[in-house]
Amino acid sequence: MYFFDNDYMIGAHPEVMEQLVATNSLHTVGYGRDEFTQKAKELILKKCGLREGDVYFLEGGTQSNLVVIDRILDYNDGVIAADTAHINVHEAGAIEACGHKIIALPNKDGKLTHQAIKEYVMSYLNDDTCHYMVRPAMVYISFPTELGTIYSLKELKRIREVCDEFHLPLYIDGARLAYGLASRKNDVTLNDIASSADVFYIGGTKCGALFGEAVVTRRPELLPRFVSLIKLRGATLAKGRLLGVQFLSLFSNSLYERIGKHAVDMAMLLKEGFMKKGYPLFIDSPSNQQFFILPNDKIESLKKIASFELWGPKGETSTPVRFVTDWSTVEDEVRALIKAL
């Protein structure tokens, strides 16, 4: 079988595993107070071009989103996001469970536009009954989006301008950040992400780590007593050095960049193959997630040799599907899948 379900089906990249094994027998203090975690924080801030700021390591994306959003917002505040956003669709109501409404706005190719943000905030401010409405108090976007699309630097700057105009913190979900940065259509750097977002996270779970995400902020004052809240929300890892070791490895020897490039190269090979065989795109994604519309009989035949996901309910004759590549995707397997079409 060839596996294209998602980018976290397999364990860690061999270079990450090598460092975990090499440090396995060492005794270190817990809760991220070890030397590996401190070095990883310093390295990440340097890579982001941040002289000041802070880095926090959490086990997963949902925990990162929940704890960051919960810390920034007052209890009855809401967060603006695209209707396709991960926090709105695939996090089981985690944000709402903390008392924060997700203000879902229509997406454009999976993205949230600066116009949509501005129009919503203006309508809120101009409503005489706004005191009885959930206040839009921060903006959430992801890079790449749930549909694999990426924001251009121009789009990112426009969103930043709107956030500055209305004093809204901007939070970027970077679960698949490596693949967005590696996209051949991308003109955004890690430094751009770090300078545009008030808070963002660097995905590890989907980008070569066994687990873990690095929450980065250039404005630590937005996250007061953040370590305490991480603990309160059950997101503190006692063996915190496991996160530090992994991110120290990911950001050494250009590993994070290499992981992203390989996955995107395989995704583009896959995309080209499907299109040459006449199968239309569901959406034009430039990153490691590829979406096609396949006849249902072709889906059933492909399932005999490959695993992948249906993207939504099955249609009467055809259905959107998603194929995902990662660091472990083998070129020969991609070509074999294309041949089977």
Side-chain angles (χ1 to χ4, degrees), residues 271-280 337-341:
K271 182 179 188 177
E272 180 182 356
F274 271 75
M275 293 181 69
K276 281 186 175 180
K277 293 293 181 78
Y279 295 104
L337 176 66
I338 294 170
K339 185 177 180 180
L341 287 173

Side-chain angles (χ1 to χ4, degrees), residues 263-289:
V264 170
D265 285 347
M266 294 300 98
M268 294 305 104
L269 179 63
L270 186 75
K271 182 179 188 177
E272 180 182 356
F274 271 75
M275 293 181 69
K276 281 186 175 180
K277 293 293 181 78
Y279 295 104
L281 298 174
F282 175 67
I283 191 166
D284 189 4
S285 164
S287 62
N288 73 315
Q289 299 181 86

Side-chain angles (χ1 to χ4, degrees), residues 38-315:
Q38 296 311 307
K39 288 180 179 178
K41 289 182 177 182
E42 293 170 6
L43 181 57
I44 287 174
L45 288 175
K46 182 178 180 181
K47 293 283 187 179
C48 291
L50 296 176
R51 293 185 178 181
E52 297 180 354
D54 213 336
V55 180
Y56 305 88
F57 296 107
L58 290 86
E59 300 102 305
T62 297
Q63 295 97 320
S64 299
N65 290 335
L66 186 155
V67 180
V68 169
I69 292 172
D70 191 30
R71 178 79 300 168
I72 292 177
L73 296 180
D74 283 341
Y75 188 74
N76 58 337
D77 282 343
V79 52
I80 295 174
D83 52 7
T84 51
H86 196 267
I87 59 171
N88 190 49
V89 181
H90 289 133
E91 289 191 346
I95 307 303
E96 289 92 342
C98 291
H100 307 297
K101 179 182 177 65
I102 297 172
I103 302 167
L105 303 183
N107 77 92
K108 182 178 180 181
D109 296 329
K111 294 184 281 187
L112 185 64
T113 67
H114 73 282
Q115 299 101 321
I117 299 170
K118 186 166 186 173
E119 288 173 7
Y120 183 84
V121 176
M122 288 298 297
S123 68
Y124 169 84
L125 294 174
N126 291 327
D127 193 321
D128 289 340
T129 66
C130 66
H131 298 294
Y132 306 108
M133 301 163 62
V134 173
R135 181 179 67 160
M138 69 180 292
V139 173
Y140 165 102
I141 64 173
S142 54
F143 189 95
T145 70
E146 284 296 283
L147 296 178
T149 52
I150 58 175
Y151 291 86
S152 67
L153 183 56
K154 183 178 180 180
E155 290 172 324
L156 201 56
K157 286 183 175 180
R158 284 182 170 177
I159 290 175
R160 179 70 261 172
E161 289 170 0
V162 173
C163 288
D164 287 340
E165 180 180 354
F166 296 105
H167 307 290
L168 301 172
L170 174 61
Y171 173 52
I172 299 180
D173 179 331
R176 293 187 169 96
L177 185 59
Y179 311 124
L181 295 175
S183 169
R184 299 170 188 176
K185 294 185 177 181
N186 177 48
D187 65 347
V188 175
T189 66
L190 181 58
N191 284 24
D192 293 326
I193 295 288
S195 62
S196 298
D198 295 286
V199 186
F200 72 101
Y201 84 80
I202 299 171
T205 302
K206 298 175 180 177
C207 303
L210 272 179
F211 56 88
E213 330 295 336
V215 172
V216 183
T217 181
R218 59 184 174 86
R219 297 181 60 195
E221 70 275 9
L222 282 177
L223 305 175
R225 300 186 68 234
F226 195 57
V227 172
S228 179
L229 186 63
I230 294 172
K231 182 70 171 179
L232 172 65
R233 293 302 184 190
T236 300
L237 188 65
K239 297 181 181 180
R241 74 107 179 274
L242 296 178
L243 294 166
V245 168
Q246 291 185 83
F247 274 90
L248 192 56
S249 179
L250 286 173
F251 279 84
S252 299
N253 302 316
S254 301
L255 178 56
Y256 203 69
E257 292 87 345
R258 287 186 279 125
I259 285 172
K261 183 180 185 305
H262 174 76
V264 170
D265 285 347
M266 294 300 98
M268 294 305 104
L269 179 63
L270 186 75
K271 182 179 188 177
E272 180 182 356
F274 271 75
M275 293 181 69
K276 281 186 175 180
K277 293 293 181 78
Y279 295 104
L281 298 174
F282 175 67
I283 191 166
D284 189 4
S285 164
S287 62
N288 73 315
Q289 299 181 86
Q290 293 301 312
F291 302 83
F292 310 101
I293 299 175
L294 298 183
N296 291 341
D297 58 347
K298 178 57 64 176
I299 291 174
E300 294 307 314
S301 65
L302 282 182
K303 281 185 175 181
K304 296 176 182 177
I305 63 166
S307 63
F308 51 93
E309 290 188 349
L310 301 185
W311 199 250
K314 196 169 185 178

Side-chain angles (χ1 to χ4, degrees), residues 12-28:
H13 188 281
E15 292 181 37
V16 175
M17 284 301 301
E18 182 181 342
Q19 292 305 309
L20 284 170
V21 172
T23 58
N24 187 58
S25 298
L26 297 179
H27 290 78
T28 60

